[in-house]
Amino acid sequence: MPIDPARYVSNILLAESCNRPLLLQYLVSLQSEYRHIPAAAISALSSTLEIPESEIIGVIEFYSFLHLKSRGQYDILFSDSITDHMLGSRILLDQLCQQLNVEVGQVRADQLVSVNTTSCTGMCDQGPALLVNGIAITNLDEPRISLISQLVESGADISEWSNEFFTVRNNIRRKDILLSCMHEEYDRQQALQQLVDPLPADILNILQSSGLRGRGGAGFPTARKWRDCRDADAARRYVICNADEGEPGTFKDRVLLQSYAHQLIEGMTLCGHAVNATHGLIYLRGEYRYLLDHLQAVIDERRTAGLLGNNILGKRNLDFDVDIHLGAGAYICGEESALIESLEGKRGIPRKRPPFPCTYGYLGEPSVVNNVETFIAAAQIIIHGAQWFSSSGTEQSSGTKLLSISGDCKQPGIYEYPFGTTVRQILQDCGATNVQAVQIAGAAGTTLPPDQFDRVIAFEDLGTGGSFIIFNQQRKLLDMVQNFAHFFVHESCGFCTPCRVGGSLLKDLVDKVHSGHGSCHDLDEMKRIAGIMRETSFCGLGATAPSHVLQTLDSFSHVYVERLSQADYEPAFDLDAALAEARRLAPHHCKSNTDS
C-alpha cells in the first residue's frame, strides 16, 4: 500500500530541501506513486512550498501525463502519430479496448486499467507503439496486443513482463562523420581532457570556425550563443540540454541518448567550461522515461570517475555537474523559453523575447539551451578540429545532419547526411518508392511534392530539426492534415487567442472537409484563419501550426477538392437534421401542436 500522500510529500521535500523549481518533478513522482495527484499532496505542497493550491492545480492540468483523477493501475497510452495510424494503430487500439472491456479515454470500473491516446512517442521507426505506465512498447501487432491484455488481466507487475516487450532499437542506417567517429569503448578521461584543455576563448573560436549551428531546426550559430552567455554579467550560468524532441516524426535524439550519453555529457561539460557555468540540466521528455535510469547511471559513473563534480580531472575550479528533469507530456516545452518555464516548475508557457535565454534564462540567469545533437557535435569538433567538421556540408550549412526517417519506406531509422544532400537521394537510400509527398521537419515543417525532391537539406533551403515522414501514392494526405490539425489543438499551451481559438477553428474546418461536407468557402476560410495565426500568434508554435494546411492547399489542392460537397456553402451545423430525431421521438406532441 502506498504511504499517506502528505507523508510522501514530506519525504520527497526533505530529500530535495523544499526546492520550488522542482515542483514538476515532485508532481511526476506523485503521479507515478498514486496514478494521480492526491488532494492531500497538493495541500502539503502548497503549505510547504508556499504556492497557492490553484497554481499547483494549474500546473497539473497543463501537462498531459499528470492527472487530478486516478488512472488505472495499468495506464496505457497509444501513440496517436500519423505514422502509427499508417501502421494500423487504430485497429490495435480497438482490439485492446475490446479485450479489456474498457472505452478509449476511460478508466475501467475496477480501476485496473485505463486506455487513451497520446501524441507522438518518438518511436516512429518501430511503430505502432504505446506507453504503459510511461514505459515504451514498440512493434505492436495483434498477438502482442493479446499478450498485453492477458498480462494486464493477470495483474502481473510490469517488472515481471518480458524484457523483449521493452526493446527499443536504434535502427541506425547510415553513418557519416559524426556517428562514425564515436564509439562506446573509448578513453573517457582522455576525451574530456581534450575538451577542457583549450581556453574558453579558443573553444569559442574553434566552434565559430567550424560553422556549427543549432541542430534543432532554427540553426542559430552555436559559438555566438555560447559567447553571449559567457559575456553576460552574472555570477551564475546554466547549461541546458533540450531533450524534448516532441515534433512528430523526430526520434534522432532518442538514439543519441540511448547510445551516446557519455558524449552528450562531455558536450555539456565542454559548454560549462566555455561559458563558465557549473551546473547543467537535461530536460528529458516524458515519453523517454525509459531512458531515465540509463542516463542517471551514466551521470553517476562519471561522478565516480571524477569526470563530473568539483575539480574535474584534478583541475582546480573546474566544476560542473548535471541533473535530469523529466517532462510530463507537453509539446510546447520543446520551445526553449517554455522549456525553461517548465524547468522552474511552472506551466510551459513561452516567454516574450527579448530577453533571450543566453542573457536571462533559468532562474533569471544566463543559460545556454541546445539540443542533444548540438552538444555532441560541439564536443567532437573540439576533439577533431573545425576543418574536420566544415569540410562536409555547404558554405552556409557546415557538417552533417541526423535525419529521423519513417513512413512509407523499406528501412525507417536514423540516417546521417552532409548538408546539401537532395531529398531525392535520401528517398532512394531508405527504399522509398512511388512517393506522393514528404513531410520534412515535423507537423510544423514543410510538405514537399515530388517536383521539389531535388531540393537539398540545408539551412538555406530545407532547414529541419531532422524528421522525414514519407507518404506513398496510396495514402490519403488529408488524413495527415487532419491528424496534425488535431495534434496542434491538443498541444497548444492556450496562452494566446490566435493559436488557441484559431487552431480549433482550423481543426473543425479540416474535419468538415475530411467528412465530405466542405465547400470552396471553407477552403477560403481555412486560408484566412491560417494567415491570422501566422501573423499574430505569440510564439512559433502558433505561427507554424497552420503550415501543413497552407502547403497542402497550395501543392496538393486536389486532395481537398475531391472531398468537397457540391454546394457553394454548407453550414457546419445542420439544424434541421439535428431536430429530425427529436421530431421522430415526439410525434404526438407535434400533432397536438398542429391541431391546436
Side-chain angles (χ1 to χ4, degrees):
M1 286 288 293
I3 66 174
D4 175 73
R7 186 190 303 175
Y8 186 85
V9 168
S10 297
N11 290 342
I12 60 176
L13 289 177
L14 182 63
E16 301 290 350
S17 302
C18 301
N19 194 334
R20 166 63 176 84
L22 290 178
L23 173 62
L24 179 58
Q25 303 311 298
Y26 301 151
L27 295 175
V28 168
S29 179
L30 286 161
Q31 178 68 43
S32 177
E33 181 72 11
Y34 299 99
R35 305 195 303 279
H36 73 297
I37 315 297
I42 295 173
S43 178
L45 285 170
S46 174
S47 175
T48 307
L49 297 177
E50 298 182 348
I51 305 172
E53 289 192 20
S54 59
E55 184 177 334
I56 296 174
I57 292 172
V59 172
I60 295 168
E61 292 179 337
F62 182 86
Y63 295 94
S64 296
F65 293 171
L66 302 179
H67 304 279
L68 291 168
K69 295 183 178 180
S70 184
R71 309 297 296 163
Q73 178 182 333
Y74 300 91
D75 188 21
I76 298 174
L77 297 174
F78 266 75
S79 178
D80 201 39
S81 169
I82 184 62
T83 56
D84 289 274
H85 284 206
M86 293 160 68
L87 293 167
S89 64
R90 284 291 176 171
I91 296 173
L92 298 175
L93 171 61
D94 290 342
Q95 176 190 343
L96 183 67
C97 286
Q98 290 174 9
Q99 292 179 359
L100 292 174
N101 191 28
V102 63
E103 296 291 328
V104 176
Q106 300 297 317
V107 182
R108 206 167 77 174
D110 61 1
Q111 300 291 305
L112 178 67
V113 61
S114 50
V115 179
N116 209 339
T117 59
T118 187
S119 299
C120 181
T121 58
M123 304 290 166
C124 309
D125 57 329
Q126 47 205 295
L130 60 75
L131 303 176
V132 54
N133 293 355
I135 308 301
I137 298 180
T138 62
N139 296 301
L140 297 173
D141 55 20
E142 292 188 6
R144 178 163 281 203
I145 288 293
S146 295
L147 186 52
I148 290 172
S149 177
Q150 295 169 22
L151 288 166
V152 169
E153 293 289 12
S154 72
D157 190 86
I158 291 179
S159 63
E160 300 172 0
W161 294 21
S162 170
N163 288 334
E164 194 272 335
F165 266 114
F166 306 106
T167 299
V168 177
R169 300 189 305 271
N170 280 343
N171 290 334
I172 297 176
R173 307 295 188 182
R174 187 185 193 278
K175 296 183 178 182
D176 210 280
I177 61 171
L178 183 63
L179 293 179
S180 294
C181 77
M182 296 190 297
H183 308 282
E184 276 299 291
E185 299 302 324
Y186 70 106
D187 189 331
R188 290 162 186 155
Q189 182 167 321
Q190 182 181 2
L192 187 60
Q193 188 79 53
Q194 289 180 265
L195 295 174
V196 298
D197 273 350
L199 295 173
D202 294 332
I203 291 172
L204 297 175
N205 289 336
I206 293 170
L207 291 180
Q208 184 171 332
S209 296
S210 74
L212 176 64
R213 297 168 66 170
R215 265 38 188 170
F220 193 85
T222 303
R224 179 179 167 188
K225 178 182 286 189
W226 291 19
R227 184 173 282 111
D228 287 347
C229 181
R230 181 175 181 83
D231 291 344
D233 184 16
R236 189 173 179 86
R237 297 172 181 80
Y238 293 93
V239 175
I240 299 172
C241 175
N242 182 348
D244 191 54
E245 58 171 359
E247 195 67 62
T250 309
F251 48 88
K252 64 180 179 63
D253 285 351
R254 181 204 83 208
V255 173
L256 295 175
L257 290 165
Q258 186 162 307
S259 294
Y260 302 99
H262 280 283
Q263 288 87 343
L264 166 63
I265 304 300
E266 287 165 0
M268 295 180 68
T269 306
L270 166 72
C271 182
H273 175 49
V275 306
N276 193 25
T278 61
H279 196 74
L281 299 165
I282 297 174
Y283 188 94
L284 181 67
R285 70 184 302 225
E287 290 84 349
Y288 292 169
R289 184 174 188 146
Y290 81 98
L291 289 169
L292 181 60
D293 289 345
H294 163 65
L295 292 174
Q296 190 60 57
V298 169
I299 291 171
D300 292 343
E301 178 184 336
R302 295 185 72 85
R303 285 174 181 159
T304 301
L307 305 180
L308 279 177
N310 296 327
N311 301 321
I312 294 173
L313 296 175
K315 292 179 179 287
R316 186 179 178 185
N317 296 327
L318 180 54
D319 305 334
F320 189 76
D321 210 342
V322 175
D323 289 317
I324 304 170
H325 284 229
L326 195 63
Y331 165 76
I332 187 63
C333 289
E335 194 275 339
E336 62 179 8
S337 68
L339 180 147
I340 291 171
E341 289 286 298
S342 187
L343 282 173
E344 294 178 352
K346 307 171 188 174
R347 297 181 301 157
I349 304 294
R351 294 176 176 177
K352 184 177 177 63
R353 298 181 297 175
F356 294 95
C358 55
T359 57
Y360 187 89
Y362 180 63
L363 302 180
E365 303 291 354
S367 306
V368 168
V369 183
N370 281 128
N371 74 355
V372 177
E373 185 182 355
T374 307
F375 280 121
I376 289 178
Q380 298 308 310
I381 287 168
I382 300 304
I383 292 174
H384 298 285
Q387 179 61 30
W388 163 83
F389 188 76
S390 61
S391 61
S392 294
T394 70
E395 185 175 345
Q396 297 181 49
S397 306
S398 62
T400 61
K401 186 75 191 73
L402 300 185
L403 301 178
S404 311
I405 299 181
S406 62
D408 292 317
C409 62
K410 292 181 180 178
Q411 291 189 307
I414 299 299
Y415 292 73
E416 182 185 6
Y417 283 100
F419 276 117
T421 303
T422 65
V423 172
R424 191 176 305 279
Q425 180 64 56
I426 295 167
L427 295 175
Q428 179 179 324
D429 291 349
C430 70
T433 58
N434 199 27
V435 179
Q436 176 183 189
V438 181
Q439 184 71 18
I440 298 176
T446 302
T447 310
L448 210 66
D451 62 1
Q452 297 185 39
F453 286 175
D454 287 319
R455 293 178 63 182
V456 301
I457 301 302
F459 293 113
E460 61 269 31
D461 189 359
L462 291 170
T464 175
S467 74
F468 262 55
I469 303 177
I470 302 167
F471 301 89
N472 65 27
Q473 294 290 346
Q474 282 67 54
R475 298 295 178 185
K476 298 177 180 179
L477 278 190
L478 209 54
D479 291 347
M480 174 202 77
V481 176
Q482 185 182 47
N483 180 264
F484 288 166
H486 282 253
F487 168 81
F488 282 118
V489 169
H490 180 267
E491 296 296 345
S492 172
C493 74
F495 176 77
C496 74
T497 301
C499 179
R500 183 183 68 252
V501 178
S504 292
L505 293 173
L506 202 58
K507 173 187 73 70
D508 291 344
L509 287 169
V510 170
D511 286 346
K512 184 181 178 184
V513 173
H514 189 276
S515 65
H517 294 285
S519 67
C520 291
H521 169 82
D522 294 312
L523 301 188
D524 291 338
E525 188 69 359
M526 289 164 68
K527 293 177 182 178
R528 187 182 71 84
I529 293 170
I532 293 173
M533 292 176 66
R534 276 192 161 182
E535 294 297 323
T536 61
S537 291
F538 181 74
C539 78
L541 184 147
T544 56
S547 295
H548 65 286
V549 173
L550 291 173
Q551 290 169 3
T552 50
L553 281 169
D554 181 48
S555 299
F556 301 91
S557 59
H558 64 279
V559 306
Y560 293 88
V561 173
E562 64 190 16
R563 291 288 188 97
L564 298 183
S565 63
Q566 296 301 312
D568 291 334
Y569 172 75
E570 182 177 321
F573 180 74
D574 188 336
L575 179 61
D576 186 64
L579 292 174
E581 182 69 5
R583 288 195 296 267
R584 185 184 69 80
L585 294 174
H588 300 296
H589 177 71
C590 295
K591 185 177 185 300
S592 63
N593 286 341
T594 302
D595 292 342
S596 63

